[in-house]
Amino acid sequence: AQTVTQSQPEMSVQEAETVTLSCTYDTSENNYYLFWYKQPPSRQMILVIRQEAYKQQNATENRFSVNFQKAAKSFSLKISDSQLGDTAMYFCAFMKLYDKVIFGPGTSLSVIP
Amino acid sequence: DTGVSQNPRHKITKRGQNVTFRCDPISEHNRLYWYRQTLGQGPEFLTYFQNEAQLEKSRLLSDRFSAERPKGSFSTLEIQRTEQGDSAMYLCASSRRTSGGGLEETQYFGPGTRLLVL
């Protein structure tokens, strides 16, 4: 069975600084997808960034980028130029082809003015 | 594209009552998923449909839970004889199953229904 681990329950970062959230996963699959979802307080789960396992190039979306290390089964999220609106729970998630999403326990990120 | 919608957004009920939640997926999406999220935790998979067929159910989905997607569009999740342990956020997500897979399989989430059982 697949598992997703996020070892940082809480993190904080100063506004405009850079922060990296860690995620590791365990799977025997070769083809799969990885995601970072953001869930602001009392608000909807939003997709931040996604990565296909067969692609070596790390995904980027504006201020968000990932460091995908397939051999190490590591998928960290880097947020550059942190903004107050980035305050949220961040969930790392795994999905094998045509299947359900398995979420990690989440990291609560606070951006400090 | 109006996104995934869920109703009601909040539900308070007494233990032993039945409740029903509705999810309307993104219109062209043929897959629909239900997840449960308790406070401070990541969502946990409950069940999913491809069109009207229910393809998988989690062990979390006890006999008191039933989900339907009768016409392959909206879905309902019913909980019978609610218990205090059922208090959680119930999330719905949808995606488009394609023959080639790919990131089109990405799931998009609704706002959730928060259930409180007293």
Side-chain angles (χ1 to χ4, degrees):
Chain A
Q2 290 79 24
T3 58
V4 178
T5 302
Q6 294 177 252
S7 59
Q8 305 150 315
E10 296 182 358
M11 293 191 73
S12 61
V13 61
Q14 290 290 137
E15 194 175 5
E17 297 295 307
T18 296
V19 63
T20 299
L21 309 184
S22 301
C23 172
T24 58
Y25 59 94
D26 188 25
T27 185
S28 58
E29 301 287 329
N30 190 45
N31 288 329
Y32 51 87
Y33 309 107
L34 295 164
F35 307 90
W36 279 96
Y37 283 92
K38 167 186 175 182
Q39 190 175 40
S42 301
R43 295 186 63 186
Q44 192 161 339
M45 186 85 72
I46 302 165
L47 177 69
V48 174
I49 197 165
R50 53 193 179 180
Q51 174 83 39
E52 294 160 294
Y54 70 85
K55 286 189 175 179
Q56 292 188 346
Q57 185 174 4
N58 290 324
T60 61
E61 286 286 343
N62 301 314
R63 297 182 296 107
F64 300 88
S65 62
V66 297
N67 183 4
F68 173 48
Q69 302 289 328
K70 189 172 184 179
K73 296 180 182 175
S74 170
F75 184 62
S76 62
L77 173 69
K78 185 171 82 171
I79 306 174
S80 304
D81 185 27
S82 297
Q83 301 175 359
L84 296 178
D86 295 334
T87 292
M89 281 289 287
Y90 286 81
F91 294 100
C92 179
F94 169 97
M95 188 182 83
K96 64 179 184 180
L97 267 65
Y98 316 134
D99 204 29
K100 58 191 174 288
V101 176
I102 297 175
F103 288 86
T107 295
S108 177
L109 177 67
S110 298
V111 179
I112 302 166
Chain B
D1 179 356
T2 57
V4 179
S5 62
Q6 292 186 247
N7 288 288
R9 296 291 306 277
H10 303 274
K11 180 71 176 178
I12 300 174
T13 191
K14 293 182 179 179
R15 185 164 51 94
Q17 298 294 304
N18 299 344
V19 294
T20 300
F21 310 140
R22 175 175 170 134
C23 171
D24 288 87
I26 293 171
S27 59
E28 68 269 23
H29 284 185
N30 53 10
R31 283 207 164 183
L32 188 149
Y33 300 78
W34 285 99
Y35 295 84
R36 182 171 70 186
Q37 184 180 23
T38 52
L39 201 61
Q41 302 296 317
E44 296 175 293
F45 168 76
L46 292 178
T47 188
Y48 84 93
F49 294 83
Q50 180 163 307
N51 300 314
E52 64 275 10
Q54 189 172 18
L55 297 187
E56 185 177 347
K57 293 193 290 186
S58 162
R59 288 176 297 174
L60 292 176
L61 213 64
S62 75
D63 292 344
R64 297 184 297 104
F65 288 70
S66 63
E68 294 182 344
R69 194 181 184 201
K71 296 183 180 179
S73 56
F74 72 91
S75 174
T76 57
L77 178 68
E78 181 183 18
I79 309 174
Q80 296 181 327
R81 305 181 302 282
T82 53
E83 301 172 356
Q84 289 182 324
D86 297 331
S87 296
M89 174 80 86
Y90 290 84
L91 296 170
C92 176
S94 71
S95 68
R96 186 160 63 96
R97 168 72 163 87
T98 64
S99 59
L103 290 177
E104 293 170 335
E105 298 273 346
T106 298
Q107 295 180 26
Y108 295 91
F109 283 80
T113 294
R114 186 171 295 281
L115 173 67
L116 177 61
V117 181
L118 301 176

